[in-house]
Amino acid sequence: MPTGPAMTTRGPRNLLRQIREAMAGAAPAQERLDGVVRIIARSMVAEVCSIYLRRASGELELFATEGLNREAVHNTRLRPGEGLVGEVARLAQPISLSDAPTHPSFSYRPETGEDPYHAFLGAPLLRGGRAIGVLVVQNRAERRYDEDEVEDIQTIAMVLAETVASGELLAQEELRDIEVAPHRPERIKGQKFGDGLAFGHVVLHEAPLPPERLLAENQQVEEIRLREALNRLKSDVDHMLEGGLGNLAGPSFEVLETYRMFADDRGWNRSLEEAVRNGLTAEAAVDRVRNEHRARFAQARDPYIKERLHDFEDLANRLLRILAGDKPGERDLPDDAILVARNLGPADLLEYPRHKLKGLLLEEGSAASHAAIVARALQIPCVGRLQGLRDRLSEGDLVIADGETGEAHLRPRPDMLQAVRSRMEVRDQRRAEFIRLRDVPAVTLDGTRVTLLTNAGLAVDLENLNETGAEGIGLFRTEFQFMVSDELPRLDVQTALYRLVLDAAGDRPVTFRTLDVGGDKVLPYLDQGEREENPALGRRAIRLGLDRPALLRMQLRALLAAGSGRELRVMFPMIATVDEFRAAREMVDEECAWARRRGRTLPAVLRVGAMVECPSLLWHLDALLPLTDFISVGTNDLLQYMFAADRTNPMVSDRYDPLSPPALRALAEIQRKCVDTGTPVSVCGELAGRPLEAFALLTLGFHRLSAPAGGVGPVKRMVLSADLTAARRAMPGLLGSSAGSVRNEIESLARKLNVAL
Ligand code: PEP
Ligand code: MG
């Protein structure tokens, strides 16, 4: 009786290399697969070794065997879940049995001639979170495969899975009907996060490992790399728990605790070490163990388990990033990249080269998150909450990101692609129409002059300024510069950007908002001190600026320097009390005095404003407005705080309608108080960029709107077609309504008045 795990003495590294060589050879695919099973059988001292691959129908087809009847190859097909092989795929876990035929799941297929074999060891071929096949070894004698052998077969299965999926082993023709990688056209319905339409090739944010990075050249080196990366991961997590690194808006305490639990988990550490000892590179080891977890928990319905799986994946991704040490920007991307991720921070998105990025598809996320705002600033379509997206796509697949309908089309048929091309042409024509309107003043039919500004924060927005014909920048989000930087931008770097912006704007006004970090905007290099349970209600924006005056002072100094001799407009985010505004304004005065003492030229005109984003101000506008030179209403935050619905949390972010009596009444109140005190007011939340919502704002009496670049044209078209006198007559009824939403009523009103929406 063959006893022993021959591989533990020789180690599977040689075997892996032989397998890779056999796979990469020039012989026809079947011959190479036959060679592979022969090598595995010999090395594992098994009488049988077989590879099953999943067909599109879900059946597992015998693709190659050493030991079973050759005639069964491509003839034996097991229904999903059938037999032990089906069970391995279903559970996405290895199964080891000393006497397989007595197991209730055993399914006898006479054509295979497998009756004499008792011992059975099967492992799933995992790709992402899916089993794409099964690798089996069998022995005549009743024997138990030991732990090392189970570990070894999983490592071999991983290498096989990656090699098959990479298309190295089977030609594209042969892969056509095999569920190695999903290949049929599919449509997934999600939510619209950013308007637009694009098609291109999938770039997975969590990049797959190329097959040549699977096997270690030098095992010791990989062991050291893994150990060092794990140590770094643990110290990062500890540091975050202590309140350092990234916790301005990083993972919550609960998530960090879970991270620590996983990072310290002996099982995880041991699996990684064993995979490396078996001949994988450190990255391949992380990938292998991650795939196993993903596949195992894929069917879990319990939201708690799903969340923990996400945490685990995030941790594995962190470890991969530590190992790779590179940035997405350094990856070789196609020119028509559609980025695919589970979720993404705005800083992650900004690391990708702008000109190559054509669209963004997310499995989760929310429309009000800053990643979605950045996508809109980049004017690329963004669709979120696309369930199961990553498991249904492979790197390089063709995909359509439809931000108009909130859908993703995976591997579209040519007719679908053609339809999208036609729609893109229509969009281009509309865009041309907006460009024609660029220099037409925004005046409503009843003669109300509207000022249309744009929101900005990136250098690319400056191009948009000219293209859209916006009359200035109503909100410049200064934190974007901080978010794309690896370190705190120095004074001269900040000054240079602000100068560039003012130069690009020329005579057009620019309103700079001081640093607004916190919430979902993370600056990994900034040590905020205390850990926060609830960052959206935490030390965000001006609160941080006042607590860390050196940070705010430096920014004000840079702004004053850039605005020297011209008009400078500065506003403070997240003001919740008048005292905060007083303190911030005092800092501006002190910085002016400092510059004056040094003989510097101050701005010719300096205006200091507040963002109205905290509901508390609604009851203290009479005190606030006289202190300000202008205000800007940040509806994204104002509404999240009014409705107590975290804008980044998809479970609650769209539970209310901004076109509802409470929201409209609050806005009407702000507008009225501004008229009473003669305070200039604008609205700069995302609402201002949507024609119907902007129509409601104009009807309420707002005349100054700052919209994302893509919204300026559509809103101007709406303005030119609107008669506000007629619309205003309906407003008291809408504000007084007892309905939760008056969207339909406002839309019917707009349509009745022939407003171009
Ligand atoms: C807002 O809150 O409406 C706003 C414009 O600021 P931000 O979206 O950057 O928080
Ligand atoms: Mg805000």
Side-chain angles (χ1 to χ4, degrees):
M1 161 171 129
T3 50
M7 285 176 38
T8 46
T9 48
R10 279 191 285 138
R13 284 192 314 123
N14 268 340
L15 168 62
L16 292 179
R17 206 155 296 284
Q18 286 174 39
I19 292 174
R20 293 272 304 137
E21 276 162 21
M23 284 181 166
Q30 188 65 49
E31 246 173 66
R32 283 184 282 153
L33 264 184
D34 293 345
V36 168
V37 285
R38 211 174 308 123
I39 294 168
I40 299 173
R42 186 165 9 99
S43 174
M44 289 198 75
V45 199
E47 280 112 11
V48 174
C49 174
S50 315
I51 293 174
Y52 296 81
L53 293 178
R54 191 192 285 281
R55 285 275 177 202
S57 60
E59 289 176 323
L60 285 160
E61 177 175 317
L62 181 63
F63 254 73
T65 185
E66 171 73 8
L68 299 184
N69 289 340
R70 308 267 314 161
E71 297 75 55
V73 171
H74 297 303
N75 285 323
T76 294
R77 288 180 172 197
L78 303 164
R79 291 184 310 279
E82 183 188 346
L84 289 168
V85 171
E87 200 60 4
V88 171
R90 190 179 67 81
L91 297 173
Q93 286 198 49
I95 293 182
S96 167
L97 297 169
S98 57
D99 189 15
T102 59
H103 192 276
S105 294
F106 183 79
S107 147
Y108 178 59
R109 288 301 192 96
E111 75 274 12
T112 59
E114 66 180 326
D115 19 349
Y117 304 106
H118 288 270
F120 173 100
L121 173 59
L125 268 55
L126 299 176
R127 278 280 294 163
R130 309 160 55 248
I132 60 163
V134 175
L135 172 66
V136 178
V137 292
Q138 290 172 278
N139 282 86
R140 218 175 274 275
E142 284 184 32
R143 57 160 298 221
R144 273 216 172 273
Y145 298 95
D146 66 24
E147 265 183 34
D148 285 337
E149 287 169 301
V150 176
E151 174 64 29
D152 291 345
I153 197 168
Q154 285 176 273
T155 307
I156 299 167
M158 182 210 178
V159 173
L160 272 176
E162 293 298 327
T163 317
V164 170
S166 72
E168 243 185 278
L169 181 62
L170 298 169
Q172 231 32 55
E173 264 313 276
E174 294 156 302
L175 282 174
R176 183 156 299 155
D177 187 36
I178 301 173
E179 274 295 84
V180 162
H183 59 275
R184 278 175 300 183
E186 266 187 86
R187 182 185 74 107
I188 311 185
K189 180 86 186 114
Q191 283 183 11
K192 299 178 231 179
F193 284 4
D195 188 36
L197 190 58
F199 62 87
H201 292 93
V202 168
V203 168
L204 296 169
H205 179 56
E206 289 118 27
L209 274 182
E212 63 277 9
R213 282 296 303 141
L214 291 175
L215 300 188
E217 294 295 330
N218 180 328
Q219 184 193 337
Q220 264 128 17
V221 170
E222 295 302 321
E223 280 176 13
I224 295 170
R225 287 183 67 229
L226 178 68
R227 205 173 320 122
E228 285 177 354
L230 278 168
N231 286 340
R232 166 77 198 283
L233 180 71
K234 282 176 204 165
S235 72
D236 282 0
V237 173
D238 284 343
H239 191 33
M240 283 193 278
L241 272 166
E242 283 155 18
L245 210 69
N247 81 343
L248 262 179
S252 69
F253 190 67
E254 190 196 22
V255 169
L256 285 173
E257 286 284 19
T258 316
Y259 278 5
R260 172 136 81 186
M261 196 181 77
F262 282 130
D264 287 337
D265 181 63
R266 295 256 305 274
W268 187 49
N269 280 264
R270 204 172 332 112
S271 309
L272 292 173
E273 282 157 16
E274 268 172 27
V276 164
R277 220 171 296 129
N278 270 351
L280 295 183
T281 58
E283 289 89 342
V286 180
D287 201 35
R288 194 198 109 179
V289 177
R290 181 178 59 172
N291 281 348
E292 284 165 12
H293 272 78
R294 234 169 114 179
R296 217 164 287 165
F297 293 106
Q299 288 105 341
R301 286 189 187 280
D302 183 338
Y304 181 79
I305 295 185
K306 274 197 171 310
E307 257 325 294
R308 297 293 76 83
L309 178 65
H310 282 164
D311 298 342
F312 173 76
E313 277 204 40
D314 287 343
L315 195 72
N317 290 338
R318 268 174 199 268
L319 189 56
L320 284 173
R321 274 199 297 275
I322 293 173
L323 283 164
D326 59 5
K327 294 190 167 188
E330 285 152 25
R331 261 166 77 185
D332 197 13
L333 301 184
D335 289 339
D336 58 354
I338 305 277
L339 186 62
V340 172
R342 176 163 66 80
N343 208 346
L344 210 62
D348 293 327
L349 181 55
L350 289 171
E351 282 186 3
Y352 286 88
R354 152 82 188 101
H355 58 285
K356 293 194 170 184
L357 215 53
K358 301 291 178 246
L360 174 63
L361 299 175
L362 300 174
E363 235 172 62
E364 300 177 356
S366 81
S369 70
H370 281 93
I373 287 180
V374 172
R376 290 194 286 271
L378 297 174
Q379 300 200 56
I380 56 172
C382 176
V383 185
R385 314 207 60 194
L386 294 158
Q387 272 185 17
L389 176 70
R390 286 172 312 155
D391 285 342
R392 288 148 82 175
L393 277 174
S394 304
E395 178 93 0
D397 274 359
L398 189 65
V399 69
I400 296 169
D402 191 337
E404 289 181 352
T405 61
E407 289 171 323
H409 295 268
L410 325 182
R411 301 167 294 274
R413 280 186 240 282
D415 54 340
M416 179 77 212
L417 211 53
Q418 194 44 48
V420 164
R421 276 203 187 94
S422 313
R423 281 172 54 207
M424 284 169 83
E425 275 167 28
V426 174
R427 287 186 69 87
D428 286 346
Q429 284 161 11
R430 258 173 63 110
R431 213 181 154 103
E433 186 195 341
F434 297 146
I435 290 176
R436 272 197 304 281
L437 294 180
R438 197 168 47 185
D439 302 319
V440 178
V443 182
T444 60
L445 291 180
D446 56 305
T448 308
R449 176 75 170 89
V450 177
T451 306
L452 288 183
L453 307 154
T454 186
N455 296 344
L458 304 164
V460 56
D461 292 318
L462 302 178
E463 293 163 29
N464 295 336
L465 187 58
N466 292 329
E467 195 188 306
T468 58
E471 293 169 68
I473 297 177
L475 165 66
F476 189 87
R477 292 183 165 100
T478 58
E479 62 276 7
F480 283 1
Q481 181 188 32
F482 287 67
M483 279 155 44
V484 294
S485 177
D486 288 332
E487 53 180 22
L488 201 72
R490 291 192 321 265
L491 180 68
D492 54 338
V493 178
Q494 292 184 41
T495 312
L497 175 68
Y498 305 151
R499 210 169 262 146
L500 187 78
V501 175
L502 287 170
D503 288 347
D507 296 337
R508 292 166 291 196
V510 178
T511 303
F512 290 97
R513 175 178 73 188
T514 60
L515 198 57
D516 178 6
V517 287
D520 61 340
K521 289 183 257 191
V522 190
L523 300 185
Y525 48 80
L526 198 68
D527 193 347
Q528 195 217 359
E530 296 283 304
R531 174 184 64 74
E532 295 197 315
E533 286 289 357
N534 197 342
L537 295 180
R539 196 153 63 154
R540 258 190 76 180
I542 192 63
R543 300 171 178 181
L544 183 70
L546 294 176
D547 283 4
R548 301 271 304 267
L551 200 64
L552 186 53
R553 264 186 205 293
M554 176 153 81
Q555 187 173 32
L556 292 173
R557 201 164 286 187
L559 286 165
L560 288 170
S564 161
R566 38 189 170 182
E567 174 172 342
L568 178 69
R569 298 168 60 88
V570 178
M571 69 177 169
F572 297 109
M574 280 280 294
I575 296 286
T577 70
V578 282
D579 288 339
E580 282 172 344
F581 185 76
R582 280 195 191 98
R585 187 151 200 166
E586 216 168 271
M587 274 168 77
V588 178
D589 294 341
E590 282 163 13
E591 276 308 308
C592 285
W594 183 90
R596 218 176 283 120
R597 280 199 301 278
R598 273 159 189 74
R600 312 236 165 115
T601 309
L602 288 174
V605 182
L606 175 61
R607 297 194 199 283
V608 183
M611 285 195 76
V612 173
E613 304 184 277
C614 298
S616 55
L617 289 183
L618 290 176
W619 293 274
H620 221 187
L621 288 170
D622 50 343
L624 176 78
L625 298 182
L627 303 175
T628 61
D629 297 322
F630 65 91
I631 64 159
S632 190
V633 189
T635 47
N636 304 339
D637 277 318
L638 181 63
L639 298 181
Q640 87 157 333
Y641 295 128
M642 270 181 64
F643 288 89
D646 181 350
R647 62 195 271 190
T648 66
N649 178 346
M651 285 186 292
V652 299
S653 59
D654 52 6
R655 276 184 118 91
Y656 63 88
D657 190 343
L659 293 184
S660 59
L664 296 176
R665 282 188 210 178
L667 291 166
E669 175 72 4
I670 296 172
Q671 199 278 334
R672 195 173 56 78
K673 290 264 165 65
C674 285
V675 171
D676 289 351
T677 51
T679 311
V681 56
S682 63
V683 179
C684 65
E686 303 296 298
L687 285 190
R690 298 202 285 264
L692 182 64
E693 281 82 347
F695 168 68
L697 291 171
L698 297 188
T699 309
L700 287 174
F702 290 98
H703 297 152
R704 215 176 151 83
L705 306 179
S706 191
V712 176
V715 169
K716 184 181 277 188
R717 186 160 155 266
M718 178 278 290
V719 168
L720 295 173
S721 68
D723 179 350
L724 297 178
T725 326
R728 278 199 192 112
R729 281 197 285 274
M731 219 7 121
L734 294 170
L735 291 181
S737 164
S738 60
S741 160
V742 285
R743 176 170 297 273
N744 291 341
E745 288 80 351
I746 295 179
E747 189 167 346
S748 328
L749 175 67
R751 300 228 179 266
K752 204 169 85 197
L753 298 174
N754 288 324
V755 177
L757 295 177

